[in-house]
Amino acid sequence: MTAPTVLIVAQAGRLQAEALLFAASLAECSPGAALVVAEPQPGPLWDDDPRMEPDARAALERLGARVVAFEARHFGQAYPQGNKIEALSVLPAGTPFAFFDTDTLITGDLVAVPLDPDRPAASLRREDTWPKPDIAGHNREAIWRALYDRFDLDFDASLDTAWPPDDWRRYLYFNAGFFHFRCPEVFGQRLLQTALAIRDAPPPELTGQSLDPWLDQVALPLVIHALGGGRDALPPGWIDGRTSCHWRALPLLYARESDAIVALLERLALRPDLKPLLARHEPLRRLVLEGEGARIRAMFDRAALPPNERAIRKRIRAAGLWLR
């Protein structure tokens, strides 16, 4: 099996630092994978120049990445999560791809992951973040059904009826930190059209619901369902399991990830070619290079973590160590 082309988005600041760690982990753990780094360019939708620093871009290229420019035409500064939607345009049509957020470490060979290019999938490592029921009197079922109806999709076929109607897990919902398909053009155009339609003309049932930062995760299940994918399209245990770790924020990594993930992070961050670049980013410098992450790690029992991420964040903030 051939690994799909891996796509990430990187720009100045935090994402630049994360991209270096991602690229280093990919080169080490899945050396056969091709990496494309999509970089937004300056334009009217950005307040500042979003491009990476030249030495960081050069370091990515030394790690085997191909950096490709793209222009933000629909999102930009107002909704930077939209980068992942617009960045799909940098890949040639018909190229099987796997998109990852930069706050991810690759921990195994992507060649081994049983991705079905014809059945799109996305990360199931998510929590109950959207929608918030009972705002304006609409429950989860009414909200999701309105979205499926809007795009002429079979809502009932998307349900996991093992869960009751008031449980968020009944409804198709993903973390947009990973998704894949056989064609970036087909997937990207559908995702863009869906996201713009929801943003610009949401159904009445979405009254009071926040779409920032959730727009990509609202549109994603609709696209995956429309293209024949679903929650069962990828066997469990691979993505956000043995092959990747979407750590999302460094304090959360130290609080809840395995010893092996922490060791991989720290080993990569201490590489002589990466350490000076990563030291510019305060959370990486303090938590990883200066060792303060160990304080967070000592605060939590990985076998008995708080029931939700909010509780973990609250405890870390109280200790003055929430660095993002």
Side-chain angles (χ1 to χ4, degrees):
M1 183 182 296
T2 302
T5 296
V6 176
L7 175 67
I8 63 174
V9 176
Q11 64 189 76
R14 173 174 59 86
L15 268 63
Q16 170 183 291
E18 292 174 353
L20 289 167
L21 289 169
F22 179 95
S25 69
L26 181 72
E28 178 175 309
C29 297
S30 188
L35 174 61
V36 173
V37 179
E39 182 184 43
Q41 300 300 291
L45 295 185
W46 293 105
D47 296 340
D48 301 307
D49 187 342
R51 289 176 295 184
M52 295 180 285
E53 295 170 295
D55 54 356
R57 188 183 301 108
L60 284 169
E61 291 171 343
R62 286 195 298 272
L63 288 165
R66 183 165 61 92
V67 180
V68 183
F70 75 96
E71 293 184 15
R73 302 183 185 278
H74 303 280
F75 300 105
Q77 194 80 33
Y79 186 67
Q81 292 85 350
N83 272 344
K84 68 181 66 176
I85 301 173
E86 301 199 70
L88 289 166
S89 65
V90 308
L91 297 179
T95 304
F97 75 92
F99 172 86
F100 288 91
D101 277 348
T102 51
D103 49 6
T104 301
L105 290 172
I106 300 301
T107 58
D109 195 341
L110 295 179
V111 172
V113 181
L115 298 175
D116 182 345
D118 294 318
R119 294 200 68 206
S123 171
L124 288 169
R125 189 179 189 184
R126 76 281 193 237
E127 292 189 335
D128 180 13
T129 51
W130 195 93
K132 298 301 181 187
D134 299 324
I135 295 175
H138 301 299
N139 61 25
R140 297 180 196 276
E141 180 165 347
I143 292 166
W144 281 115
R145 184 179 291 278
L147 286 165
Y148 279 75
D149 289 348
R150 171 69 177 277
F151 298 100
D152 195 27
L153 300 173
D154 186 346
F155 172 67
D156 292 329
S158 75
L159 300 175
D160 183 348
T161 55
W163 301 99
D166 61 345
D167 194 298
W168 66 273
R169 288 164 290 194
R170 182 180 178 89
Y171 309 99
L172 198 60
Y173 191 53
F174 299 101
N175 186 306
F178 162 80
F179 51 84
H180 84 97
F181 191 51
R182 58 175 168 77
C183 178
E185 182 177 68
V186 172
F187 195 96
Q189 288 183 356
R190 186 96 188 206
L191 185 57
L192 177 63
Q193 292 165 2
T194 302
L196 291 177
I198 295 170
R199 183 194 70 180
D200 298 339
E205 288 81 359
L206 269 65
T207 300
Q209 297 290 336
S210 175
L211 291 173
D212 188 357
W214 313 117
L215 178 61
D216 58 338
Q217 295 195 174
V218 177
L220 186 60
L222 303 171
V223 173
I224 286 179
H225 182 71
L227 295 176
R231 58 177 65 79
D232 63 342
L234 176 64
W238 292 92
I239 299 300
D240 296 318
R242 73 192 78 169
T243 318
S244 71
C245 173
H246 186 199
W247 46 271
R248 296 190 48 237
L250 278 172
L252 293 177
L253 185 154
Y254 277 101
R256 65 188 183 185
E257 303 301 344
S258 68
D259 291 345
I261 294 296
V262 172
L264 175 62
L265 167 74
E266 294 183 344
R267 179 163 49 78
L268 294 175
L270 289 171
R271 284 177 47 155
D273 58 331
L274 299 183
K275 183 177 178 180
L277 297 169
L278 299 177
R280 299 172 189 169
H281 182 58
E282 183 185 7
L284 273 164
R285 185 180 70 252
R286 288 182 53 186
L287 297 182
V288 182
L289 303 179
E290 296 176 3
E292 290 192 70
R295 291 174 54 198
I296 297 176
R297 197 143 185 86
M299 292 165 54
F300 296 92
D301 177 359
R302 254 66 60 197
L305 288 169
N308 56 57
E309 186 179 301
R310 183 180 301 174
I312 298 174
R313 289 171 179 254
K314 183 177 180 180
R315 193 183 299 180
I316 297 172
R317 283 195 177 95
L321 292 170
W322 184 258
L323 301 169
R324 184 84 162 96

